[in-house]
């Protein structure tokens, strides 16, 4: 049947309902939210313009949000020691939180959460985080470098916002848009986002679970693990899904629709690899869609059914009955576990790579690409990812050269043709032997795989997209077997060798496409439902 053109599209209705809900949330808040925007006199740059636009949009939601604007030479700028344009202060009478740049793109999510927390006057830190943060008894000057295109950044920026709201007497925070403040980013050699510093010490590269961030802030060093106290909240489920990529999200939808009590735990950004895929052109129903847009659609669909615990890392699993799963925040007792842990990007394993990671070496062109506009970079790899990302960098104005170890691309012909049409230079049969630079990437040492001839190549950045390795850490903890290719071994219906433990998505290997990962998630959820009704391990 044809759609009645007078109907309101479903998406408009959904966003109307969302706006209504947001307005009601702000109405119930006890506090006014006062914003101060400081700008250089007569200087209207893109960031100032964006600030005004974003703030105007939020002010339409609530009269509680007010904005006052001043020039940088105003006495308030001196009082608060503001030297950079634009600088946005948020409720400066209560907190020390400032934004250098503007809350654009992904960062609008951080800004919304920030306004809500300030309006509530509460940090909403978890009990586990509160136990740690109360040990801080001296100042922490926190800087979080972010960019509008980085889907990992809001998690880390919000962690810092919560700390600044919880401990205003000790924690001061600057959220710094790396494109608006290139000199400051340079000073900290911060060339990937997010990066968090406290008292000028790097405490976190990438997004950390909240409790890990708070512990790093307290200890003033990068921590990677947090074990919760024994009083961690207990949650009972039929199915716990570890991983919030397309496999995990689809499994959540199918499981709850079957009647199972299910939850998804994801330590980083939802969507897995798609969250940082610039453009997806082979997911049915979408001729061309931004990876992050597709993730947002999938997540809002999944949220209609399944509870998602984002920013929470699994730290331990016990294959008892029920299976115990300890995260950084709570303990799940569950009848079954689905490992949809995906894959982590491969490293080149050459000299200089790890030392210069975040200093010009990057694994995320979506996050870090904009920092290299007008600069020279190389993209390493010959698969779909490397070619898609090289095209993405090229289209955003980065001078990119592709480096591939063979003389033929692994990427699909369609992408190879786009690469050739755009005249992106390719160094064939070439490998990187070393990445060099003092504070940041300056040059690479190359070797020709056919002639063995070596050469140096000046570059500002090295983007690496050479495939993924399955994320098996949790599978190993549970004693799950892997196959000869190193992926989780299963019986064709996603059952592993450990009763009650299943797999889906890239951790199982196979075609590694978004659509196949979703299919694996759906299949696994249906097997789990059948098994819980009629447990095969009792037969
Ligand atoms: P991939 O298909 O495994 O390709 C990895 C590339 O990196 C290969 O060209 C490989 O070279 C090269 N490589 C591997 N190890 C290397 C090393 N140590 N040094 C130098 N080069 C190295 O990985 P991917 O491109 O990330 O794709 C992963 C999966 O996602 C694939 O299934 C792909 O189809 C899918 N994907 C699809 C799309 C799309 O359809 N638009 C986009 C992105 C990803 P060799 O060729 O010599 O082996």
């Amino acid at each position: 049947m044809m759609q009645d053109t007078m109907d309101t599209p479903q998406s408009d209705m959904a966003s109307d309902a969302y706006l209504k809900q947001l307005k009601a949330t702000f109405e119930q808040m006890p506090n006014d939210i006062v914003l101060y925007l400081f700008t250089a006199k007569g200087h209207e740059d893109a960031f100032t313009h964006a600030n005004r636009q974003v703030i105007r949009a939020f002010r339409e939601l609530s009269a509680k949000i007010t904005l006052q604007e001043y020039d940088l030479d105003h006495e308030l700028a001196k009082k608060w020691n503001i030297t950079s344009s634009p600088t946005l202060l948020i409720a400066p009478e209560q907190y020390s939180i400032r934004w250098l740049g503007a809350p654009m793109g992904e960062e609008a999510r951080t800004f919304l959460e920030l306004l809500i927390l300030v309006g509530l006057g509460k940090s909403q830190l978890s009990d586990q985080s509160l136990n740690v943060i109360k040990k801080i008894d001296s100042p922490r000057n926190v800087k979080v470098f972010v960019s509008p295109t980085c889907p990992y950044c809001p998690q880390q920026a919000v962690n810092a916002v919560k700390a600044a709201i919880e401990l205003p007497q000790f924690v001061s925070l600057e959220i710094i848009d790396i494109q608006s403040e290139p000199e400051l980013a340079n000073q900290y050699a911060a060339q990937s986002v997010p990066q968090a510093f406290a008292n000028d010490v790097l405490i976190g590269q990438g997004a950390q679970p909240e409790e890990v961030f708070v512990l790093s802030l307290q200890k003033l060093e990068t921590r990677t693990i947090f074990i919760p106290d024994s009083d961690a909240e207990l949650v009972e489920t039929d199915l716990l899904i570890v991983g919030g990529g397309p496999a995990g999200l689809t499994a959540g939808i199918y499981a709850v629709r079957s009647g199972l009590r299910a939850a998804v735990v994801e330590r980083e950004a939802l969507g897995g690899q798609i969250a940082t895929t610039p453009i997806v052109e082979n997911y049915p129903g979408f001729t061309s869609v931004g990876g992050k847009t597709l993730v947002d659609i999938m997540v809002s669909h999944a949220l209609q059914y399944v509870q998602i615990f984002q920013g929470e890392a699994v730290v331990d699993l016990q294959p008892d009955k029920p299976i115990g799963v300890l995260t950084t925040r709570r303990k799940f007792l569950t009848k079954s576990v689905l490992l949809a842990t995906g894959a982590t990007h491969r490293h080149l394993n050459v000299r200089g790579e790890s030392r210069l990671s975040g200093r010009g070496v990057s694994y995320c062109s979506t996050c870090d690409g904009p920092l290299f506009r007008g600069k020279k970079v190389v993209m390493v790899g010959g698969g779909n990812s490397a070619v898609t990302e090289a095209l993405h960098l090229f289209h955003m104005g980065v001078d990119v050269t592709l480096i591939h170890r063979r003389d033929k691309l692994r990427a699909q012909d369609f992408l190879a043709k786009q690469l050739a049409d755009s005249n992106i230079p390719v160094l064939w049969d070439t490998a990187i032997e070393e990445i060099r630079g003092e504070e940041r990437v300056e040059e690479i040492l190359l070797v020709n795989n056919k002639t063995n001839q070596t050469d140096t190549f000046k570059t500002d950045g090295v983007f690496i997209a050479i495939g993924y390795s399955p994320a098996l850490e949790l599978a190993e903890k549970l004693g799950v077997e892997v196959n000869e290719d190193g992926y989780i071994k299963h019986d064709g219906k996603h059952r592993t060798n450990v009763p009650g433990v299943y797999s889906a998505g890239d951790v199982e290997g196979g075609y590694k496409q978004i659509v196949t990962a979703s299919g694996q998630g759906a299949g696994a959820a249906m097997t789990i439902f059948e098994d819980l009704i009629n447990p095969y391990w009792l037969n």
Side-chain angles (χ1 to χ4, degrees), residues 157-217:
V158 169
N159 286 340
V161 165
K162 288 180 172 180
I165 291 178
E166 184 60 36
L167 276 192
Q169 68 278 33
F170 291 131
V171 179
S172 61
L173 168 63
E174 287 171 295
I175 298 174
I176 303 161
D177 184 315
I178 208 160
Q179 291 175 68
S180 169
E181 295 289 336
E183 278 175 26
L184 195 54
N186 234 352
Q187 199 182 316
Y188 282 79
Q191 291 192 309
S192 76
V193 282
Q195 286 196 40
F197 294 82
N199 300 356
D200 292 343
V201 175
L202 181 67
I203 59 162
Q205 202 169 351
Q208 296 167 301
E210 178 194 293
E211 292 77 9
V212 177
F213 170 83
V214 170
L215 186 63
S216 306
L217 180 65

Side-chain angles (χ1 to χ4, degrees), residues 34 36 52 59 62 152 157 163 179 201 213 244 253 286 311 376 381 407 423 457 501 511 523:
V34 187
Y36 292 77
R52 292 198 180 114
R59 288 183 67 198
S62 170
Y152 300 103
Q179 291 175 68
V201 175
F213 170 83
I253 295 171
F286 299 86
K376 195 170 170 172
D407 60 2
N423 290 324
F457 188 94
V501 178
Y511 292 112

Side-chain angles (χ1 to χ4, degrees), residues 276-279 362-366 369 372 375-404 409 411 415-416 418-427 462-466:
T276 54
T277 302
I279 295 285
S362 171
Y363 304 87
C364 180
S365 67
T366 312
F372 292 87
K375 294 188 180 173
K376 195 170 170 172
V377 308
V378 295
M379 168 65 68
V380 193
N384 283 332
S385 299
V387 176
T388 305
E389 294 184 27
L391 286 162
H392 178 62
L393 290 172
F394 171 79
H395 289 304
M396 73 169 72
V398 179
D399 177 358
V400 57
T401 299
L402 189 80
I403 296 184
H404 183 35
L409 293 173
L415 287 168
Q418 285 185 31
L419 185 80
D421 289 349
S422 61
N423 290 324
I424 292 173
V426 183
L427 299 178
V462 178
F463 285 83
I464 299 170
I466 58 167

Side-chain angles (χ1 to χ4, degrees), residues 273 277 279-282 346-348 380-386 388 403-406 408-412 415 430-431 465-468 506 510-513:
Q273 292 161 44
T277 302
I279 295 285
V280 175
E281 292 177 327
N282 52 9
R346 270 194 213 129
H347 292 187
L348 277 174
V380 193
N384 283 332
S385 299
T388 305
I403 296 184
H404 183 35
R405 63 182 179 184
R406 290 190 295 134
K408 182 157 180 8
L409 293 173
R410 184 177 290 274
Q412 291 163 351
L415 287 168
T430 302
I466 58 167
Y468 294 84
D506 283 7
Y511 292 112
K512 295 189 226 150
Q513 303 295 303

Side-chain angles (χ1 to χ4, degrees), residues 52-64:
R52 292 198 180 114
Q53 268 195 326
V54 173
I55 294 167
R56 192 180 306 130
F58 278 104
R59 288 183 67 198
E60 277 170 18
L61 292 175
S62 170
K64 289 190 174 157

